[in-house]
Amino acid sequence: LMRGQPVNIVTSIAPPPPRVPISFQRPRFELTSVDIQEPDANGFNLAVGISATNVNSLPGRIRAFYYILEVDTFRLASMRHLCDMQLPAEGTASGVLSVNIRHDRLGRAAAAMLSQGRVRYRVRGHYTFEAQGGRSTEHISVGGDYDVADRLRPLLGGIHGR
């Protein structure tokens, strides 16, 4: 750099949001329920209950989930769920992820559900967590078992042969 030569300066109007501090611990998630809602000729909605426990001493919030739902090894749906789940400091909050399932997407998963009577399901993807110190995108992978209820069998019975 020589005296009298112009210098290019780049500025930004809005700096990127700060990252959540390194001492941050990810919330712990648990799937608490799976309920069938609004069945019709095209499919049904699954309401997947989720619980998040914040182990940090500061409150935070979950702003969005981006996830896929798998039943056994079959991928049933990809979803985006925008939300504002408030997580109290060292506390727990609950929410519901709504998943639209079309009958024509079930295929072999339906046969597995009917033949086994009990299936494993998993929600995996990522979520955005905001706290006083910034924002972070974190991975999520939680699952559980589901007993195929008698009320589910009539919904799936008509597509067993598809």
Side-chain angles (χ1 to χ4, degrees):
L1 183 65
M2 296 180 68
R3 180 176 241 162
Q5 286 185 324
V7 176
N8 291 329
I9 298 175
V10 178
T11 62
S12 174
I13 294 173
R19 301 269 307 151
V20 171
I22 294 196
S23 62
F24 160 78
Q25 293 183 38
R26 293 179 184 169
R28 289 189 303 257
F29 290 95
E30 179 182 352
L31 297 180
T32 57
S33 63
V34 177
D35 293 315
I36 299 167
Q37 298 177 335
E38 304 169 22
D40 63 24
N42 296 319
F44 52 92
N45 286 327
L46 285 180
V48 180
I50 190 163
S51 172
T53 301
N54 181 11
V55 297
N56 299 291
S57 60
L58 293 173
R61 71 169 122 230
I62 297 185
R63 302 297 279 171
F65 286 98
Y66 302 88
Y67 59 94
I68 63 171
L69 173 67
E70 298 171 332
V71 172
D72 284 330
T73 59
F74 308 105
R75 182 177 171 170
L76 289 184
S78 296
M79 303 297 288
R80 178 179 75 160
H81 179 75
L82 301 177
C83 61
D84 189 11
M85 182 189 284
Q86 302 287 329
L87 290 177
E90 299 175 352
T92 300
S94 298
V96 175
L97 302 176
S98 181
V99 184
N100 181 269
I101 306 293
R102 293 177 43 96
H103 289 312
D104 61 354
R105 295 272 300 151
L106 287 173
R108 295 182 312 177
M113 287 182 214
L114 289 172
S115 65
Q116 296 173 15
R118 184 176 186 86
V119 295
R120 295 199 47 77
Y121 62 95
R122 177 161 298 285
V123 171
R124 61 185 180 90
H126 63 277
Y127 63 94
T128 302
F129 180 83
E130 289 181 355
Q132 184 177 353
R135 179 179 4 198
S136 179
T137 299
E138 304 291 336
H139 294 282
I140 182 173
S141 181
V142 291
D145 291 324
Y146 184 70
D147 287 317
V148 180
D150 289 336
R151 67 186 181 124
L152 180 59
R153 291 182 192 278
L155 291 174
L156 300 176
I159 59 169
H160 182 71
R162 287 187 188 174

